[in-house]
Amino acid sequence: MPRYVYDFIEGDRSRADLLGGKGANLAEMTRLGLPVPPGFTISTDACRAHLATGSPPAGLFDEVNTHLREIEARLDRRLGDPHDPLLLAVRSGGRYSMPGMMETILDIGLNDATVTGLAARSGDERFAWDSYRRLIQMFGRTVYGAPAEEFEQELAAVRATAGAAGPTAEQLHDLVETYKKIFARRVGHDFPQAPHEQLFLAIRAVFASWHSERARIYRRQERIPDDLGTAVNVMAMVFGNLGPDSGTGVAFTRDPATGAPGVYGDYLPDAQGEDVVAGVRNTIGLPELERIDPVSFRRLLEIMATLERHYRDLCDIEFTIERGRLWMLQTRVGKRTPAAAFVIAAQLVDEGMITPAEALTRVTGAQLAQLMFPAFDLTAAPEPLAVGVGASPGAAVGRVVFDSAAAAAATEPVILVRRETNPDDLPGMIAAAGVLTSRGGKTSHAAVVARGMGRTCVCGAEALDIDARRDECTVGDRVVRAGEVISIDGTTGRIYLGEVPVQPSPVARYLAGELNPEADPLVAAVHRLLGHADAVRRLGVRANADTPADARRARRLGAAGIGLCRTEHMFLGDRRELVERLILAEGPAERDAALAALLPPQRADFVGILAAMDGLPVTIRLLDPPLHEFLPALPELTARVARAEALGTDPGRDATLLGAVRRMHEANPMLGLRGVRLGLVVPGLFAMQVRAVAEAAAQRRRAGGDPRPEIMVPLVGDVRELAAVRDEAERVLAEVDDAPEIPIGTMIEVPRAALTAGEIATEATFFSFGTNDLTQTTWACSRDDAEGSFFGAYLERGIFPVSPFERIDARGVGRLIRLAVAEGRAARPELTVGVCGEHGGDPDSVAFFAEAGLDYVSCSPYRVPIARLAAGRAAVDATTGTSDSR
Amino acid sequence: MPRYVYDFIEGDRSRADLLGGKGANLAEMTRLGLPVPPGFTISTDACRAHLATGSPPAGLFDEVNTHLREIEARLDRRLGDPHDPLLLAVRSGGRYSMPGMMETILDIGLNDATVTGLAARSGDERFAWDSYRRLIQMFGRTVYGAPAEEFEQELAAVRATAGAAGPTAEQLHDLVETYKKIFARRVGHDFPQAPHEQLFLAIRAVFASWHSERARIYRRQERIPDDLGTAVNVMAMVFGNLGPDSGTGVAFTRDPATGAPGVYGDYLPDAQGEDVVAGVRNTIGLPELERIDPVSFRRLLEIMATLERHYRDLCDIEFTIERGRLWMLQTRVGKRTPAAAFVIAAQLVDEGMITPAEALTRVTGAQLAQLMFPAFDLTAAPEPLAVGVGASPGAAVGRVVFDSAAAAAATEPVILVRRETNPDDLPGMIAAAGVLTSRGGKTSHAAVVARGMGRTCVCGAEALDIDARRDECTVGDRVVRAGEVISIDGTTGRIYLGEVPVQPSPVARYLAGELNPEADPLVAAVHRLLGHADAVRRLGVRANADTPADARRARRLGAAGIGLCRTEHMFLGDRRELVERLILAEGPAERDAALAALLPPQRADFVGILAAMDGLPVTIRLLDPPLHEFLPALPELTARVARAEALGTDPGRDATLLGAVRRMHEANPMLGLRGVRLGLVVPGLFAMQVRAVAEAAAQRRRAGGDPRPEIMVPLVGDVRELAAVRDEAERVLAEVDDAPEIPIGTMIEVPRAALTAGEIATEATFFSFGTNDLTQTTWACSRDDAEGSFFGAYLERGIFPVSPFERIDARGVGRLIRLAVAEGRAARPELTVGVCGEHGGDPDSVAFFAEAGLDYVSCSPYRVPIARLAAGRAAVDATTGTSDSR
């Protein structure tokens, strides 16, 4: 016979899977001897059994009755006793907190008879009738879905009649009668008078609430599995609404906003918890409580200290004082802001409560990323004009434009404001400082695309009524016209009129070397945890950088080299004309001349980058994109030539270019003539690049530097491609005097490279996973095309829990990575293996790469600290076996 | 101490790896007691050792001497004996035949002293001096690279002086002196007189010839591994040039062109083998030999019968008659035409020499494919105008056009003639009946693209001088102008002026049901072997067919169902406008109306196809291509609108369309919004298709049919995509009365589907590998873009041995297939697994699929017989363990 019910004295916090978070923590407090009202927890097993069959498992209510009798014995009070009734609270509580999503029913046990007993025992008739009307209302709504508004209207009417002193007992008694009528009308039968029936119905309602639509939506958003089920906590009622010596409150052991030491909380005298939540009356601070009830206050401080020592972390609690007696109703490790997470973790180390390694597990790379964004100076901010969904973090200020073409053409910062966006808006989104829409959520086109490009975005600000044709939008009475300045906060979703001053992030300033680590507690905490991450991590962190300036920035941010230096960026700007000459070259002589002209500027670029990264590896990728990317686009040229022809003018050079572009046009350029294929088809191209690298390194050496270039071949799918490039490269390298030894390796960015990694490793000194392209080809999904077209729908339907371009897809792409690492190292044990796709800067992905045994990740410079932290955390998790993949 | 030398009596034909093909067969004949001159073989091990170190392995020449002494003893004649010298032939012979690529040196052992002994013993002074001059010439060229022309010029001069009777002994003696001078001048030292030195130098020269450039190129073309090395055969010389009772010949045991029974060969009296090769004199037929030397002729017939019985196959032989005595110099299983291969295999079964299973291993799917092409009636063909490289088989007749635009616009069949082609020529190539170029080989753009689209193509016809500007080309004196009719043979490379009548292939006619199997011996043989293939194969063969006509054709050709019915073809033609309505629909009502209009015509298509395939499975793929493929192309629309704007006219509907096309434009449509993604994003699209299938099946059932549709979801990468479509499909299916059970499965065509096949199988009743897309994504290589841009270079450089779109890439794509089959079946043991990419019709790939354990392949209808044969062969190979993957 399985067991489903556990008294609080039987459990502990390690059993949250079975007892839910709330139940486990109640048990833990009971075990610590803290004043918790007697009660028991019905396990998640029972809920799962109920959800599977639609009815409670056999024997459950017998077990409940057994435990109930124990409580009755302990309190010497019985459920349904008309003279001195035991009242019960029934609360849900799953493994993971789902605030406000699940159900609670208080005052179980009241009926027409026991209400008078309660009145007698409490000496407060008003209180008794008020409790009864609360029960009828909560029970009706929770168990039978009766609408709350009807009850609320009646209550409001009574309150209005009663005036400042509040309703009399008589009035409340009448209200109960009215409530019972509403209940009967809405539910179809009378309010159940039998206290045990009330209890069992309440338990079933909590079970059923697991599958309510809002709970389901919440779980999908928070990625909580759907099959966990909830536990149900049944506890003797204590009352904070028995007069001025009663009350209820919430408290934190430290400030959850800043992490500052010292307790922090709110207290509401003469009230129940639901009154705090409803925000009907104003709370007072804890110091006030000290004045009202110093004994309870001191006891509360003692308990909070005990809990913090015990949990070794910030705790939040709910408590009630019933006629001067303190009761603990809940505790848990408290939520906190990113800043508080860092500050508290560092403090706990200082206080000797946790080790530096544990401190690393208390913060995440995602939190550090948030701390690096500039933020609005909220002391200078007006009331928000409206609030939408914070869809892509950051603080953006600019002039309103309602048209993407106008945004693309703007010369000063603009905020692109659209009802919703579509692919036509892309140029405008790229040009804008921020994007604001009135429709759609975190998975809308605007949100997905903006996050993809790191652009600040607020979505679904439904208060905005946008009339793009008239170039204006209205919010209530206020009309906002094109050209007006607004400020949008992509983290909070707030929209402000005018320019709100933006504060650079102190963490970012510290990381850039502009602030001293002692500057403030947050910076000091970040400094300390990053230092510890660096000390423990096994994963190296390099940066993706294509210019000396980026390289210097990356080095300041802690990069141990460059993992990806893209050479195509060196073919843009003034040099585009040289590339055009190369493409249009007729015959080897013209082609060689064009290549020769490209060599000196590239060499100069490499000299600068190698100088910035002196003594550290610099992985230089040979040219990757298709050459036609350096020519004007086909539709544009076609239109130009068509226009000239229609007008009878000479299209001139455009006609030549159009010929070349047509000849080189590719239906799917991502899968076309690029990367190593270019190198094998355009004679001399890769040789020129290799020579530029070798000559730059030689020049640096002669100048006394320690250049460490590495040459990386892109898009290899077969070992013979790499062997051919390697042969040619080694011939060139042998010709350059003073060049250092230059390792030659390859990107692993097409599935076939991963599948044949054992062969490829025979020709490669290193592998670098290009996870962007590897994701695109493994999923057969072009990021550019997909983010705007179907990713939104996929995220919404839960087909992706998160975009595979944000977090590495461990089951698909990750399987290829593991396979390639294993087979590559089997073939060449000294093989160095890194990753240089954007996933290299995503904390969850970094954890995956650490676990997969990579040597380093490489990411954009500003993500280097995030990767360092994530790598440190991953090292700690690996030793302790922690791995909460949610 | 390794052993390197084997006497002919020690070896046998099973040791071809060690002894080379020629050596193994000489040993086999020796073992059979046939008259083979005594000799021995130096193994390929020795060659590999020589190639690795640059010098012969230690002890090799001692071993050679030991074996040489045995021959001397057996013949009672010694190398270098001035009175009766033993002369030796040294011939190369690797594992695989490389005709004309490797070296041979005859008459080793002749010098200034032994030449008189040979003269005395043969009684023929002219013969002796002629042999000596042959040795000096061959030795000079082969061992030292001395130019053959100088020797040939001197020989020609002497022959001219001598007249009809030929040079005298005196003249030949003087010629030898001249040759020795040429040798000394070209080589730098005198011709080596020591016979053993001659022998050792000749052996080393044969070793070295393995790495000659032409041998290397040949091996690359024929895909013979570079590291096999060659064996060297050393054999006592016998002479066919000792007068009218001597001679030399080649013979086949059956006609290698038609397979007709009866020996077949050529004989040249008073000649050595090299004279036959040089074609200096005309050979006579074997019946002639019967007249000249009936004894040797009868002996030859006996030997050939013995060999055929022994080898159980067509053999070809080389023989020499020395003064009435017959010697066998070589035999091997003979090459034959595809027609002969079938006819001979069937005959051998009839004659009881081989089993039907063995017969299957004697023919290939590629041979059957060749037999299905129509061919020119060569009896009616003129002399070819020129000969190029047969690059894509078939016989094409049409008017010459020199311009791709003209080809694309032509209304009657044309042959596109270009110096070479590039992507601009694509529309012309698609429209033309055949393609002819004057430059480039089998890996040129024209060749690769034409093969890809199954278009007849002749490349590199260098005799053509093309002047496209003047719309003409010249071949010698003949000018061919645009509009003239020519005929090109893509198999032989021949180009004819005028229309050569094309004969439909009798095999194709038989397969189409137009010829009776007894019609001719070839058809009878094909009928018989296909029947046996069907009896033994475990792999099913279905067809890819989208119309009732295709379905009927496929069924006639032996397809056991349709493995891929593409529904996008049902959206073309008249129905394109309906698709436009769907795309441009504003709001759900318009969209639903457009979908509703598309349903009836699709249902009608399905009814027709299900009727044609009544009782057999029909796998219907839901819509796959991106919707914008149904709209005009972006550059075309852009130009139209630009032109209208330039002229100030109204672009009208074009402007609306341009907006839609721009909005839907994708940088890489292959990786964009298509397949299952469309189904999940366009509400109702897949539901409409599923309903059309179900209603069609219900209609067929009510009409008494046995419809067996299956629904296939394209481009699935994650099980959740499939689950979502399946849910929707099952809802729709449940609504249609009389519909049969309709299995739902998925394409496995993106790497992630293969990598997560175990998960996907939980929602799929069947898998069908879409190897076209799977190859494209696994290699990150778009076939359309790559075949014209870099495949040529890749094939030429040996990076691909063959295009991965022609033959399945077993190491990369194949690995994904094996993995998906294993994990899919582990998750769902009853899973049906097939393939519907074009590889399903490639014989080598079919063998792979059989071995990988697939249930069926599906290919274009005309490839069905080829797949049936290949599947039969694969079944036989699997039982016998045969697998010559080359």
Side-chain angles (χ1 to χ4, degrees), chain A residues 737-749:
Chain A
D737 292 338
D738 296 332
E741 185 87 352
I742 299 183
I744 297 171
T746 185
M747 305 272 290
I748 301 287
E749 57 183 335

Side-chain angles (χ1 to χ4, degrees), chain B residues 208-349:
Chain B
S209 69
W210 177 260
H211 271 176
S212 71
E213 198 183 334
R214 57 180 188 159
R216 246 200 283 241
I217 291 171
Y218 182 88
R219 284 197 296 273
R220 194 182 303 149
Q221 274 174 1
E222 300 293 313
R223 283 174 253 133
I224 297 172
D226 242 0
D227 54 1
L228 293 180
T230 183
V232 184
N233 300 293
V234 179
M235 187 196 270
M237 282 294 297
V238 291
F239 297 98
N241 51 350
L242 279 175
D245 56 350
S246 301
T248 190
V250 297
F252 296 85
T253 56
R254 302 183 189 229
D255 186 336
T258 64
V263 299
Y264 180 95
D266 293 310
Y267 182 72
L268 193 56
D270 195 12
Q272 283 285 63
E274 49 173 344
D275 301 323
V276 181
V277 175
V280 186
R281 284 153 50 198
N282 286 336
T283 55
I284 59 178
L286 287 187
E288 206 77 354
L289 173 61
E290 183 175 12
R291 206 181 40 75
I292 300 172
D293 184 350
V295 176
S296 295
F297 177 73
R298 273 195 301 279
R299 179 79 181 108
L300 186 65
L301 289 194
E302 281 166 30
I303 290 172
M304 285 167 76
T306 303
L307 286 172
E308 224 192 43
R309 268 198 313 278
H310 186 68
Y311 282 89
R312 296 157 54 247
D313 203 352
L314 163 75
C315 294
D316 74 19
I317 57 164
E318 285 177 33
F319 63 95
T320 282
I321 299 175
E322 185 183 284
R323 291 194 170 147
R325 184 158 178 203
L326 178 64
W327 293 99
M328 303 302 295
L329 301 187
Q330 178 170 329
T331 192
R332 61 184 175 191
V333 168
K335 295 203 151 79
R336 67 208 74 181
T337 62
F342 277 86
V343 170
I344 291 172
Q347 281 169 8
L348 293 176
V349 174

Side-chain angles (χ1 to χ4, degrees), chain A residues 206-286:
Chain A
V206 172
F207 284 160
S209 70
W210 177 260
H211 272 178
S212 71
E213 198 183 337
R214 59 181 187 159
R216 245 200 283 241
I217 291 171
Y218 182 87
R219 284 197 295 272
R220 193 183 305 149
Q221 274 173 3
E222 301 292 314
R223 282 175 254 131
I224 297 172
D226 243 1
D227 55 1
L228 293 180
T230 183
V232 183
N233 300 292
V234 178
M235 189 195 268
M237 283 293 298
V238 290
F239 297 97
N241 51 349
L242 279 177
D245 56 351
S246 300
T248 189
V250 296
F252 296 84
T253 57
R254 306 186 186 228
D255 185 337
T258 64
V263 299
Y264 179 96
D266 294 310
Y267 182 72
L268 194 58
D270 196 13
Q272 283 287 62
E274 49 172 343
D275 300 324
V276 182
V277 175
V280 186
R281 284 153 51 200
N282 285 337
T283 55
I284 59 179
L286 286 188

Side-chain angles (χ1 to χ4, degrees), chain B residues 376-382 500-501 503:
Chain B
F376 288 126
D377 176 1
L378 293 185
T379 61
V500 179
Q503 294 175 308

Side-chain angles (χ1 to χ4, degrees), chain B residues 823-862:
Chain B
E823 299 183 5
R825 290 229 177 99
R828 182 189 284 257
E830 73 281 14
L831 187 77
T832 304
V833 184
V835 61
C836 64
E838 284 175 44
H839 297 95
D842 167 62
D844 289 313
S845 307
V846 168
F848 172 86
F849 297 131
E851 200 249 305
L854 266 59
D855 297 302
Y856 68 87
V857 297
S858 185
C859 54
S860 60
Y862 85 98

